[in-house]
Amino acid sequence: LLKATQRKEESNDDNVSVKRKVLEALVAGVRFSFFLMPVQATMFYTVSPMAPLLNALVLPMMELLLPGAALAVSLSAVWLALGRLTAGVSYFGFLMIDIITKCLDKLSFSVLVTGKPGIINYVLYLVIAVVIVLLGKKKRREVYAVAALAFLCFLPIRNQNMRIFNLNVGQGDCCVIIRGNACVVIDCGSSGKNNVGERILRPFLHYHGFEKPDLVLLSHKDSDHTNGVSDLLRGEWSDVSVALPATERNSNFANGMKAIYLSEGAAVKVPCGLRARELVITVLHPEVTSAEDNANDNSLVVAVSDGVYDALFTGDCGGEVLADIAKRHGDILMSCDYLKIAHHGSVYSAEPSFYEAMRLTVAVVSAGVNNYGHPSGMTIAMAREAGAEVFVTKECGQVTTEFGNGRIK
């Protein structure tokens, strides 16, 4: 009876020891995540709420796997077959860690996109750090509860003004509109730079606190407007709606995408959160019955309004189409403050009647080094005559235009 009681006590001690190790690993994970959080948010614009749990699972396994791996190396020097067998066991353990990590990574809340932290975020973090120090070791539960709240310190603080960003993608187009909680991407492609979606657009969205856009508009299917985002829309962004001109309805371009097809007169409203009015996107072109075979002239032309300011995006439309838009939608053109100049500033988009119908403040050309003569001096001159200050991405890089507080800057 005495021996049985002793064995039971030893078993209980072993269980307590295991629980203690798991708890210590979880505590270590919380500490590590807390102190690493500002670095992670500053460098990668993300934080991981799942990191403490992952560390609690991984750290105890690593205590066994690392010595096993070292043993495999030693045994290989003596007997290669035995070394390989031992290494295989360690490899299986590391494989399990990889599977666990990938499974946790698939959870929607595994990674929070924080955006670039501001002064307020850092101040809140320091306040929590001070509270943790004051609580000390006597109130451990309260300390870890407060540390867990630190993730909330790095949630993005939204700018309520409408901002339009023309990203520098070389000879191509990529425009992002952000207002409050809303994010809309218009085109993303380049013939001068590779993989602009992964290398330029995605980091840009993360910097501003967005994991993905609410809506993507593709003016037409030319690669210099789409090749940066098409794979994303078929993969990680497969739940994001992508708007295309109605003339592409019968093409295979949008296979695998959550596509909607728009024509003249359609309107799309994008909510911006509780504190900002919605963005209203009005389609001016193409017509439902458009007989044009030219993809450029069938480009999706949209006016975007925040209720006060208006912006116009013209795809790659040529002069005849722009003249027709000026006739049919002169009132909308007259109210526009911002213009994304058509077809990278091509001479073929230099249509006098179109620019005469506008009273602009800002006009932007998205172009890189090219052999087409983009942008044309004639097109630039017409935009300036319409009152616009003209910016070209190949000369000044990314162009950011902010609308609000009674001014455009």
Side-chain angles (χ1 to χ4, degrees):
L1 182 61
L2 183 61
K3 289 181 179 179
T5 304
Q6 187 177 0
R7 284 196 297 268
K8 186 176 181 180
E9 289 176 352
E10 289 175 354
S11 176
N12 291 335
D13 289 341
D14 291 339
N15 291 335
V16 171
S17 179
V18 171
K19 290 180 181 178
R20 185 180 293 112
K21 285 186 177 180
V22 173
L23 182 59
E24 287 175 355
L26 184 60
V27 168
V30 171
R31 288 174 178 170
F32 184 74
S33 298
F34 177 77
F35 289 108
L36 190 64
M37 203 179 299
V39 178
Q40 189 179 5
T42 303
M43 298 296 294
F44 305 104
Y45 321 129
T46 60
V47 295
S48 177
M50 299 299 293
L53 176 59
L54 186 59
N55 286 330
L57 294 172
V58 170
L59 290 178
M61 295 177 66
M62 294 298 288
E63 290 183 6
L64 300 174
L65 293 177
L66 290 178
L71 179 62
V73 174
S74 301
L75 291 175
S76 297
V78 180
W79 187 8
L80 184 59
L82 184 59
R84 285 178 175 175
L85 178 63
T86 309
V89 175
S90 297
Y91 172 78
F92 178 76
F94 286 116
L95 184 63
M96 290 301 296
I97 291 176
D98 184 56
I99 292 172
I100 291 171
T101 303
K102 288 180 178 178
C103 289
L104 291 176
D105 190 49
K106 290 181 180 179
L107 298 175
S108 58
F109 52 86
S110 64
V111 176
L112 295 179
V113 177
T114 63
K116 180 72 172 178
I119 298 298
I120 295 177
N121 300 105
Y122 292 120
V123 169
L124 290 174
Y125 174 82
L126 289 174
V127 168
I128 287 182
V130 170
V131 171
I132 289 174
V133 172
L134 293 177
L135 288 174
K137 294 183 178 181
K138 293 182 179 180
K139 299 182 178 181
R140 287 188 176 182
R141 291 183 180 179
E142 290 82 353
V143 166
Y144 297 123
V146 172
L149 290 175
F151 288 105
L152 301 178
C153 294
F154 291 98
L155 293 178
I157 299 172
R158 304 295 190 192
N159 187 328
Q160 302 305 311
N161 292 336
M162 180 171 73
R163 291 173 293 164
I164 299 176
F165 304 87
N166 295 88
L167 307 190
N168 183 18
V169 294
Q171 183 64 13
D173 251 303
C174 185
C175 183
V176 182
I177 305 172
I178 295 177
R179 187 184 192 209
N181 295 327
C183 177
V184 177
V185 172
I186 301 180
D187 290 340
C188 181
S190 176
S191 60
K193 295 183 179 182
N194 296 324
N195 207 12
V196 293
E198 288 287 351
R199 295 183 176 180
I200 297 177
L201 177 60
R202 187 201 290 276
F204 174 86
L205 294 181
H206 284 186
Y207 181 92
H208 288 277
F210 292 92
E211 183 179 358
K212 59 182 73 172
D214 298 294
L215 175 68
V216 174
L217 290 92
L218 299 180
S219 61
H220 58 302
K221 61 183 180 182
D222 282 3
S223 62
D224 62 335
H225 290 251
T226 63
N227 62 15
V229 76
S230 55
D231 287 341
L232 288 172
L233 291 169
R234 293 186 179 95
E236 297 174 44
W237 295 358
S238 59
D239 59 333
V240 176
S241 295
V242 52
L244 293 156
T247 49
E248 297 293 340
R249 188 182 299 274
N250 296 322
S251 73
N252 296 323
F253 173 77
N255 288 352
M257 300 181 188
K258 186 180 178 181
I260 56 175
Y261 297 93
L262 303 177
S263 58
E264 181 183 4
V268 179
K269 296 181 179 181
V270 183
C272 299
L274 297 176
R275 295 173 54 201
R277 284 172 296 191
E278 61 192 3
L279 289 175
V280 179
I281 302 171
T282 305
V283 181
L284 309 185
H285 184 78
E287 298 178 76
V288 178
T289 57
S290 177
E292 290 286 347
D293 292 329
N294 187 326
N296 287 348
D297 285 343
N298 280 331
S299 289
L300 200 61
V301 177
V302 297
V304 180
S305 176
D306 67 352
V308 178
Y309 300 97
D310 299 274
L312 186 66
F313 301 84
T314 50
D316 274 357
C317 286
E320 290 184 9
V321 172
L322 295 177
D324 187 50
I325 290 173
K327 289 179 182 178
R328 291 184 286 117
H329 302 288
D331 55 335
I332 295 178
L333 266 60
M334 182 61 72
S335 67
C336 287
D337 308 286
Y338 167 100
L339 172 67
K340 202 289 293 182
I341 294 178
H343 204 171
H344 318 290
S346 166
V347 66
Y348 299 108
S349 63
E351 172 53 44
S353 63
F354 176 76
Y355 287 98
E356 289 169 1
M358 307 188 80
R359 297 294 181 268
L360 297 169
T361 302
V362 177
V364 179
V365 175
S366 180
V369 177
N370 64 88
N371 298 320
Y372 309 109
H374 299 163
S376 162
M378 184 185 301
T379 304
I380 299 294
M382 289 184 181
R384 285 175 176 156
E385 288 176 6
E389 184 176 2
V390 181
F391 299 91
V392 182
T393 55
K394 76 173 181 178
E395 297 173 357
C396 56
Q398 175 182 304
V399 180
T400 302
T401 310
E402 182 170 352
F403 307 78
N405 305 319
R407 60 177 182 169
I408 299 173
K409 60 179 181 179

